[in-house]
Amino acid sequence: MLTPKLKQQIRTSFDGAKTQLSNYSNRSSQNKMIAEISKTLMGEYPNMNPIICVEAPTGTGKTMAYLVSCLPIAKTLKKTLIIASANVALQEQILNKDIVEAKKYSSVDFEYALAKGRSRYVCIRNLINLTEENSNSPDAFEDALLWDEKPTKSDLDELSEMADSYSSTRWSGEIDDLESPPDNSLWQKIACNRFTCNSKNCEFYNDCSFFKARKKASQSDVIIANHDLVLADIINGNNVLPDVEDCLFVFDEAHHLSQKALSHFSEGGSTEFMKTSIRQCHSAIDQIIKISKSKSSNNYIEKVDTALNELSDLLSDLDYSDDVSLFPITGIPNEIVNQTKQIFILFNSAYNDFYEHKEQWEEYTKANKIEQATTDNLNNIIGQNNQNLSSILSLLSTFNRMPDQDKPPSSNWISRSRLANRKNNYQLNSAKIDVSSSLDQMIWSKAAGVVLTSATLTALGSFNRLNQQLGLDASKNQYLRLASPFNHNSVEFKIAKIKASPTNSFDHTEEVALALKNRIDTESATLVLFASNSQMQSVADIIEKSIDCELLIQGEYSKKNILERHIENRKKGKGSIIFGLDSFAEGVDLKGDYLNHVFIAKLRFSVPTSPIEMTTQSYLESLNRNSFMEISLPDASLRLIQACGRLIRTETDTGTITIFDNRLIQKFYGKLLLKALPDFKIIVE
């Protein structure tokens, strides 16, 4: 319950923010957010979960609201506050601005740290081993099993430079702090890896950048992370963050969380990867046998090759669309299941042999003195093989799992690619289409408290879609939709008079191009949002020469560069036009005269093109449910609101939104989409 002391701490923090923040303005919606978060997390609502979903429109000041309430509460509950954003931009804003300000106004003292995944840090042991003087010898990498090919002199020079920078403390050991990061393939050879890490047994443990960062995080009251890190860490057993029970979570930009989670519950592995892995496995065993003089092992290379070739023959007969063959929800054909089961049995036997030799090697190193470089190299090889074999066994096990009639099916598919030798490589893929129960088991049922917030959490005015995606029980949690502090009545939302339906792509594109020619004010700031790249390029080709101001097209420049050039144009009093796709419909903050008019080419309906989406649609149809009403329409509503949200960023902003989609007035769902919009002045031309 909220004690008088805690209430006072929250009030004091709020009062401090009012005086400390130069741009502070009093908003009733922010007060409401602070109060409801506080009451929910402290159990003021009997028999309810300490979980609250808050839709806080732009201008609410949601970051300050959850910091004011959550910092004192986390301290009182003796829990670590985890603030997780969906993208790097917001994470950096929280780290470099919001949390720094909170240190000044908060009534409680706290320490904070940034958390990154282990692979963002260098393994100094690996780096040193690869950059010792003898590593410059051409023969040094003959037995380095995990190199696809020997490193070049340029690679070794780059590694040496990193080693020098680390030893002289010019470099922290984080890849993000390098001016020119190495290629991913090179970085993977020296990155921290939980399978190859010796932890406290490593001679460089006290100087390890990852363990230094983890120690700082473990001593911090607040950890700033991202959705991907939180999900990966919980799935892999909390290597970076505290146990879920000891955490109070804030998921900012929570409308992205379900898609992030889906990506963490998918597995994949190719036939060529399996062939390479079994060879690396036996090479590692051979080295162990050679050094420790232990007994020889069974060799599975030939049997695995034969089984994989037989599987490839079966997979070559499947029907492919854009090199993807999706299996139906009823299951994978028996002959393919049987073959992958045989491959699983072979890999399982190989793994058991490998693990036995791994244990023998560990015992041998305890009893015998071996050159450190030899031990480190072989330990890395063993760790990498352990990871590869484990991932293959997990994939094959998941791929072969019988469908549970009481649960949503997995999405299983084959991806086909062509190798340099012109042979086909087949990747087996398996993914969950519904992560709701997994999120409930991992987070919602365990966490000390959870705040999920975003400017757009509802779809068609309801939290139903969010609950469905994340597995939230509507009857057990708190929900809050805050009013926007902005005056949307001043904005005209025009449904342009246009003959062609967006479903008629050619005619619609021609009409949109002509309409933009006539409607764009070349002396003002314009953003045109497209649902497809092909339509954007076609319209640009038609109108580019007739537009008398700079046209900035996504793809021709980076998003950052486009926004910088656009702002520079406006500062000089010039007109400027941005053509963009989905990434410009979210996270773009152009205030005042930097944006006067938003054009939307058409509604953004999800067309199920990915295997996961197509499996989901098939599953819903098998239950006689309408995937359009349950998924496509709510998601289109959310995307439309996000697109419209680019225009009004402050209390004084105004302008016009024009959409070229006659389905808003011709289809039954048009009224539902319009009703869910902010209180714009809607004009049907």
Side-chain angles (χ1 to χ4, degrees), residues 179 212 243 262 555 564:
E179 258 186 54
K212 283 180 180 178
D243 291 340
L262 280 170
E564 287 173 349

Side-chain angles (χ1 to χ4, degrees), residues 486-494 596-598 644-645 647-650 652-658 678-683:
F486 302 152
N487 177 23
H488 289 103
N489 283 318
S490 64
V491 175
E492 290 186 345
F493 181 91
K494 295 181 179 179
N596 311 114
H597 201 144
V598 173
C644 294
L647 185 64
I648 306 298
R649 310 300 296 174
T650 71
T652 56
D653 286 353
T654 187
T656 305
I657 301 167
T658 301
D679 193 20
F680 297 137
K681 183 180 178 183
I682 295 174
I683 298 171

Side-chain angles (χ1 to χ4, degrees), residues 1 94 271 369 426 450 476 508 641 676:
M1 301 294 282
I94 293 169
T271 51
K369 186 166 179 147
Y426 297 97
V450 181
K476 292 287 187 180
H508 183 258
I641 292 169

Side-chain angles (χ1 to χ4, degrees), residues 343-362:
I343 297 169
F344 175 85
I345 291 168
L346 289 170
F347 267 100
N348 195 46
S349 298
Y351 181 77
N352 289 335
D353 276 8
F354 166 78
Y355 202 81
E356 186 179 322
H357 283 84
K358 174 177 173 286
E359 289 184 322
Q360 289 174 5
W361 169 249
E362 289 168 356

